[in-house]
Amino acid sequence: MASAVALAIASGGTAFAQENNQGFGDIVVTANKREQSLQKVPIAISAFDETAVRAARIENFRDVVLRIPNFYADSVSRTQTSIAMRGAGSLEDSPGSDQAVALFVDEVYVGENSGLDFDFFDVERIEVLRGPQGTLFGRNVMGGAVSIITRKPTTDTTATLEGTFGRFNQIDVRGMLGGALISDTVMGQIAFSSKNSDGYARNEVTGNRLERDNTQSVRGKLRFHPSEDFDANLSVNYMRDKSKGIARKLYGDVPAALNAPDQLDVTQQDMDGGYDRKAYGATLRLDYKLPIGTITSISAYRYGLHRTNVDLDGTPLEIAEFKLQQNRVKQLSQELRLGGTAGDLDYVLGVYYLNVKLRRNEFLTVEGYPGSLFDEIAPGGTVAPEGRGQYINTESYAGFGQFTWHVSDRLRLTGGARYSWEKKSGQTYCLQDGILCSAYLLDVSDHWSALTPKATIDFDVADGIMAYATVARGFKGGGFASDFPDAESARAGGSFDPEFAWSYEAGIKARWFDNHLQTNVTAYRVDYSDLQVRQINGPFTIVGNAGKSQVKGVELEIVARPFAGVEIFGNYAYTDGKYKSLVLEDADYSGNRLILTPKNSFTVGGSYTMEFDADSSLTLRGDVLYKSKSYLDVSNDDLLTAKYDGVVNLSASYLFGGGKWEVSLFGKNVTGVRTPSTAQDYSVFFLSGDDLAAGKRVIATSYNRPTTYGVTLRWKY
């Protein structure tokens, strides 16, 4: 890297000195709870502004995951998504657990995985912070944070309307209307999104299409801004998802009598599966400027009811099926903080409260294929109880503060800490005929606390070049496992401990050649203690803590504008993560690689814009995404892996004169790369003991989406 920079300096920058070649503008982010230029924030952060979100067609959480180094997701369904960043992640998704990477929408924490998959629309900016962010962000931010900022109403009357028609009869409609209402001090805005498609997979048993989309969302905002000293923003949102069909496949040594189709998108399921989800919420943000700083209050309520049914085994038989998985969440949160500047000192002080009531009920069928080991264990075989569930009430309190001292015009020192205390209590239980059964009903309760400090030094080496180093501690509370088939395993499962991390990070953010080349480099190491892990093997679920784990790596982001109308971008991450100590049920996995952690990942691409008369233009854009092999299980089984081996996305957009109309042609995953989005070992359900002893295997999986393409027509006022 140093030689490349030296070569660029030696060249005198002539390649970047083209006349009328506009350099980079500043992307303003709020990672430190105040507005700053992205290049001035001493944090490893990737940001997409509104233009980038639209150009890259970032429409949901999965699109963000693909485009960020060190970010990965395992998704059984929209309501069962596990995410990881820099090695921090777990497949455990019970109500008594938490995600290691946190999602925030307008600074409101979204913790449960059943609520992660929603339509991104009316987005002003997406910020992805890598590494522990436990000082200023909500809770449980071990691996990183994804912060989605939606647009605020303004006094300007604005409107957009766009429609998309694409492969698989995709029909999407989005729109927004906003502006001043009663006067220039009161503004309003409403945005909506409707996504529909016939689905890319087909079920030969029912004759229906699978992976169909049918989602509607709306967000309304009201803003009262009577003076520069006071700003009140009320936001309400609603989402309804009635999408149908969840495709599951088997591969490996599948019994010949099942005649499993070879095509990835053709299944033989006795049940199509699908979703019945609704969610709504409200957020009230108040900002009041005082002589000592700005007081910010963020009050939020969220409700979600997510029902899913899925044929887990993907066969015409009732081997493993969720007849119903229902998640009901009620969340109330309040943050109050004071931020400002006193002389050479920037500061943020605050308190935080969160209450989450989450209940999950699961009604499932578990049987064995005739002659399988499971059929021998449970002949005829539905395992009792038929249902199981968990209710957890989480209360979290925190106080936090962060101070940045501007020692000189070039040197800054930052120190901060957060003290968190949280309690989880509730019940783990079984269900029979839809009501509580006598097999087990366990009361669970525990509490944890932690101090998570952070210290940073950053220095302007030269104009446009900043170097920084950070040490920070991360914390994620303990919890309680669920998914137990009987009382004995439920009592033995018990609770799992909280996990901690110490992160050490150094980086350089630089702009060269009059803002025509930007290079951001980060090197880091994270030492984890008691990393929470989960292993699934057929009907058996094992949850525990890894004693010690470590991940280290390098991240590189480059953007260049060498000529007028040309932008070239790329990011790369090298990640080396291992369980230094991990034993589950007497199986020693020490030395294995961390799950959901590809060793190499990158995105490279570019765009070219040609300007014409009357302010019309044509923009061509393309990118290639790659993530090397990632293990989906702590055993590091080569049959339980995923790899994104060169996903190519292309688009061409023509902006008509006047700037009101735009038409775009797009193709996503045009190379047709297919890889498991999740995978579980279901061998015990389909194979005999002798087959298992001989090393035969059957894996149940879902795959990522195939090639999609279409056209979008957009109008803007």
Side-chain angles (χ1 to χ4, degrees), residues 16 20 45 58 72 174 176 195 244 250 256 279-280 286 293 301 316 332 394 438 461 467 504 525 599 628 652 670 677:
F16 297 88
N20 298 323
I45 177 174
I58 298 176
Y72 214 89
R174 291 182 175 184
M176 183 275 293
K195 298 178 67 67
K244 299 301 180 184
L250 295 183
Y280 55 82
L286 305 175
Y301 175 78
L332 179 67
T394 299
S438 59
V461 179
Y504 310 91
R525 190 187 85 185
K599 182 167 281 190
S628 63
V670 298
S677 56

Side-chain angles (χ1 to χ4, degrees), residues 139-197:
R139 61 188 289 269
N140 294 323
V141 189
M142 282 285 290
V146 180
S147 179
I148 299 171
I149 309 298
T150 61
R151 283 182 292 200
K152 282 185 178 181
T154 66
T155 56
D156 296 331
T157 300
T158 57
T160 61
L161 182 64
E162 68 176 51
T164 297
F165 179 75
R167 191 183 184 193
F168 308 117
N169 200 26
Q170 174 190 354
I171 301 176
D172 298 345
V173 181
R174 291 182 175 184
M176 183 275 293
L177 175 64
L181 297 178
I182 303 172
S183 66
D184 285 348
T185 64
V186 181
M187 294 148 275
Q189 182 174 289
I190 187 167
F192 70 91
S193 171
S194 175
K195 298 178 67 67
N196 298 271
S197 78

Side-chain angles (χ1 to χ4, degrees), residues 44 382 429 460 578 662 670:
T382 301
Y429 51 84
D460 294 330
K578 293 182 179 179
E662 183 182 54
V670 298

Side-chain angles (χ1 to χ4, degrees), residues 425-447:
S425 58
Q427 294 178 322
T428 300
Y429 51 84
C430 68
L431 298 161
Q432 191 77 45
D433 297 325
I435 61 175
L436 290 173
C437 64
S438 59
Y440 63 90
L441 174 61
L442 303 178
D443 292 323
V444 294
S445 181
D446 208 341
H447 67 274

Side-chain angles (χ1 to χ4, degrees), residues 485-600:
D486 52 50
E488 182 179 356
S489 56
R491 293 189 181 93
S495 63
F496 46 87
D497 295 329
E499 62 183 41
F500 298 89
W502 279 104
S503 173
Y504 310 91
E505 178 180 308
I508 297 177
K509 295 187 173 185
R511 282 184 172 177
W512 316 85
F513 311 119
D514 194 24
N515 285 347
H516 288 83
L517 173 65
Q518 178 175 296
T519 59
N520 294 342
V521 185
T522 306
Y524 69 91
R525 190 187 85 185
V526 186
D527 295 320
Y528 295 106
S529 298
D530 294 325
L531 198 65
Q532 295 163 7
V533 295
R534 179 187 190 187
Q535 185 183 35
I536 303 172
N537 187 350
F540 308 108
T541 299
I542 306 169
V543 180
N545 294 87
K548 299 290 183 182
S549 305
Q550 185 183 89
V551 60
K552 52 189 176 182
V554 177
E555 299 163 347
L556 170 65
E557 294 180 299
I558 298 177
V559 186
R561 291 184 176 175
F563 308 105
V566 175
E567 180 170 297
I568 303 169
F569 55 87
N571 59 53
Y572 168 76
Y574 170 80
T575 313
D576 182 18
K578 293 182 179 179
Y579 299 106
K580 298 178 70 175
S581 174
L582 174 58
V583 178
L584 292 175
E585 296 291 314
D586 298 326
D588 192 345
Y589 301 116
S590 303
N592 284 5
R593 283 173 53 185
L594 296 176
I595 62 168
L596 310 181
T597 306
K599 182 167 281 190
N600 294 282

Side-chain angles (χ1 to χ4, degrees), residues 324-625:
L324 174 65
Q325 182 189 78
Q326 177 175 289
N327 295 275
R328 186 190 300 270
V329 59
K330 297 178 181 179
Q331 175 180 310
L332 179 67
S333 63
Q334 174 66 52
E335 181 168 321
L336 185 65
R337 64 176 186 259
L338 172 67
T341 299
D344 295 328
L345 193 69
D346 298 328
Y347 62 89
V348 179
L349 298 169
V351 292
Y352 179 77
Y353 171 74
L354 174 74
N355 180 271
V356 182
K357 294 179 171 63
L358 179 57
R359 181 184 297 275
R360 175 184 292 177
N361 289 338
E362 299 176 330
F363 298 92
L364 65 157
T365 297
V366 183
E367 298 184 7
Y369 185 74
S372 68
L373 179 60
F374 192 80
D375 186 48
E376 296 177 12
I377 297 173
T382 301
V383 173
E386 67 176 21
R388 56 209 182 188
Q390 189 175 65
Y391 168 75
I392 298 294
N393 180 32
T394 299
E395 285 190 291
S396 179
Y397 302 84
F400 58 90
Q402 182 168 293
F403 301 86
T404 298
W405 176 30
H406 296 257
V407 181
S408 67
D409 290 341
R410 292 186 177 273
L411 177 64
R412 293 161 294 275
L413 300 176
T414 299
R418 186 184 195 97
Y419 180 78
S420 303
W421 183 92
E422 67 178 52
K423 178 181 179 180
K424 292 181 181 179
S425 58
Q427 294 178 322
T428 300
Y429 51 84
C430 68
L431 298 161
Q432 191 77 45
D433 297 325
I435 61 175
L436 290 173
C437 64
S438 59
Y440 63 90
L441 174 61
L442 303 178
D443 292 323
V444 294
S445 181
D446 208 341
H447 67 274
W448 309 270
S449 61
L451 180 68
T452 51
K454 176 182 181 179
T456 301
I457 179 171
D458 63 285
F459 180 71
D460 294 330
V461 179
D463 290 344
I465 304 176
M466 179 191 71
Y468 71 93
T470 293
V471 57
R473 191 185 193 213
F475 158 74
K476 180 156 77 92
F480 311 97
S482 61
D483 297 346
F484 298 114
D486 52 50
E488 182 179 356
S489 56
R491 293 189 181 93
S495 63
F496 46 87
D497 295 329
E499 62 183 41
F500 298 89
W502 279 104
S503 173
Y504 310 91
E505 178 180 308
I508 297 177
K509 295 187 173 185
R511 282 184 172 177
W512 316 85
F513 311 119
D514 194 24
N515 285 347
H516 288 83
L517 173 65
Q518 178 175 296
T519 59
N520 294 342
V521 185
T522 306
Y524 69 91
R525 190 187 85 185
V526 186
D527 295 320
Y528 295 106
S529 298
D530 294 325
L531 198 65
Q532 295 163 7
V533 295
R534 179 187 190 187
Q535 185 183 35
I536 303 172
N537 187 350
F540 308 108
T541 299
I542 306 169
V543 180
N545 294 87
K548 299 290 183 182
S549 305
Q550 185 183 89
V551 60
K552 52 189 176 182
V554 177
E555 299 163 347
L556 170 65
E557 294 180 299
I558 298 177
V559 186
R561 291 184 176 175
F563 308 105
V566 175
E567 180 170 297
I568 303 169
F569 55 87
N571 59 53
Y572 168 76
Y574 170 80
T575 313
D576 182 18
K578 293 182 179 179
Y579 299 106
K580 298 178 70 175
S581 174
L582 174 58
V583 178
L584 292 175
E585 296 291 314
D586 298 326
D588 192 345
Y589 301 116
S590 303
N592 284 5
R593 283 173 53 185
L594 296 176
I595 62 168
L596 310 181
T597 306
K599 182 167 281 190
N600 294 282
S601 59
F602 67 79
T603 301
V604 294
S607 64
Y608 176 48
T609 300
M610 294 172 280
E611 302 283 351
F612 304 114
D613 294 337
D615 295 327
S616 60
S617 63
L618 174 65
T619 299
L620 307 177
R621 190 184 191 279
D623 59 51
V624 182
L625 315 174

